[in-house]
Amino acid sequence: MRPLPTSMAGVSRVSPVSFLNAKPSIAIFLLRMVLNMADTIRNKKIAMLGFAFKKDTGDTRETPAIDVGKGLIEDGAQLAIYDPQVKEDQIAYDMEGMMGNITCYKTAKEALQDAHAVTIMTEWDEFKSYDWKEIYDVMQKPAFVFDGRLILDHDHLREIGFIVYALGKPIDPFIKSAEGA
């Protein structure tokens, strides 16, 4: 990973608060998202697939989606959230007044339309069965996938054209070059 700048010149759009308030693994996830999307996510649509703590539940207690979502919004992103079981009023409660930067969708297809990136926050089985080529076709380019649950076929996504980052996995060649590795 490229070193953090000694001054905020060049990355003034990155909010250090979002990184300081997050758990270390979430901070790294957020940092990778921001640094690899041209050093800014301001006004970019980030599709968040999953909000629940785990699949097959609407339980949001201790979900990393809250911290990731807050960090993305603090850095200026617009969130497009889809979760098959978590209701919009629960998301509003968890996100504490940030709903001006969040749109909740009833389908993943709607959330992904014109998104700059997608982040997988819950390991719902349905996410594995999506037509990711179709998703790629409706997203902004370059299209990023940040797999926070390690449920997708990353090689297949790269073949389609996605730039992929997954926690604990080797860094995508695009991200390596962006980080100066």
Side-chain angles (χ1 to χ4, degrees), residues 20 51 61 66 77 91 96 103 144:
L20 293 175
F51 196 84
R61 292 173 292 169
I66 295 170
I91 292 170
E96 304 172 307
T103 304
F144 294 84

Side-chain angles (χ1 to χ4, degrees), residues 4 13 41-42 61 74 86 93 96 149 171:
L4 292 175
R13 296 168 298 246
I41 55 172
R42 180 164 306 286
R61 292 173 292 169
E74 287 170 2
V86 178
Y93 176 80
E96 304 172 307
R149 293 300 188 161
I171 298 175

Side-chain angles (χ1 to χ4, degrees), residues 66-142:
I66 295 170
D67 289 335
V68 170
K70 286 179 179 180
L72 293 172
I73 289 170
E74 287 170 2
D75 289 323
Q78 299 295 313
L79 293 187
I81 299 175
Y82 167 72
D83 188 287
Q85 288 193 20
V86 178
K87 305 290 184 225
E88 185 171 352
D89 61 339
Q90 182 64 49
I91 292 170
Y93 176 80
D94 290 333
M95 295 304 290
E96 304 172 307
M98 295 183 156
M99 290 303 286
N101 296 78
I102 298 171
T103 304
C104 295
Y105 291 91
K106 300 221 183 285
T107 68
K109 185 176 182 177
E110 293 172 314
L112 291 157
Q113 182 70 44
D114 294 320
H116 295 87
V118 56
T119 180
I120 307 296
M121 299 307 304
T122 309
E123 65 278 11
W124 289 103
D125 291 333
E126 72 179 73
F127 300 160
K128 295 184 245 181
S129 65
Y130 286 171
D131 181 341
W132 285 94
K133 172 66 171 112
E134 184 178 299
I135 291 168
Y136 179 81
D137 291 342
V138 301
M139 289 179 66
Q140 298 288 323
K141 307 302 180 288

Side-chain angles (χ1 to χ4, degrees), residues 8 52-53 130 163:
M8 291 307 286
F53 176 70
Y130 286 171
I163 299 161

